[in-house]
Amino acid sequence: RVLVVDDSLTSRTLERNILVAAGYEVDVAVDGEDGWARLGARAYDAVVCDVQMRRLDGLGLTRRIRENPRTRGIPVILVTCLDSPLALAAGAEAGADGDIVKGRFDQRELLESVARLV
């Protein structure tokens, strides 16, 4: 079971459809706060999360996941439009297990990342 957290309807739908077609059960959240609420209500095997979102961004959500004993072990893959070493390092520092750059988005990379972590 995978939780996709993205404030872009287009990105959220694309990621969800790719994962569902590969056989995953997928829930979606419209931003980090919504994602955090869903994580409190249901168990997930992985989170795929956009970095830049309103209310609670992906870095903040990742930190919350890592700080909470119940969610600490859930793998997090950050999806970002920022393709710089500094941006990618910020994700790793927050506790992300992987990252995907939107400008080089490849559905195979998403599926391989999720499969590797769950």
Side-chain angles (χ1 to χ4, degrees):
R1 184 174 306 143
V2 178
L3 177 63
V4 172
V5 184
D6 199 313
D7 62 348
S8 163
L9 175 61
T10 303
S11 295
R12 193 170 60 237
T13 302
L14 173 66
E15 292 162 9
R16 179 192 175 282
N17 289 347
I18 291 168
L19 292 164
V20 167
Y24 292 98
E25 182 180 336
V26 180
D27 289 337
V28 295
V30 298
D31 61 28
E33 288 291 348
D34 185 27
W36 183 244
R38 290 177 187 275
L39 284 161
R42 192 169 191 190
Y44 291 94
D45 298 303
V47 174
V48 176
C49 183
D50 186 23
V51 171
Q52 296 180 312
M53 296 182 290
R54 298 177 307 275
R55 295 200 309 161
L56 177 62
D57 67 15
L59 298 176
L61 177 58
T62 301
R63 285 187 201 98
R64 279 191 190 178
I65 290 169
R66 294 296 172 247
E67 291 168 358
N68 186 296
R70 191 182 60 74
T71 58
R72 180 175 292 138
I74 300 172
V76 177
I77 300 167
L78 292 177
V79 181
T80 180
C81 62
L82 305 173
D83 187 9
S84 74
L86 186 60
L88 299 176
E93 184 178 310
D97 298 285
D99 51 66
I100 296 173
V101 177
K102 285 184 180 181
R104 299 186 313 246
F105 185 84
D106 179 320
Q107 73 178 24
R108 192 176 30 206
E109 181 182 6
L110 173 63
L111 293 173
E112 288 173 359
S113 295
V114 171
R116 177 176 44 85
L117 295 170
V118 295

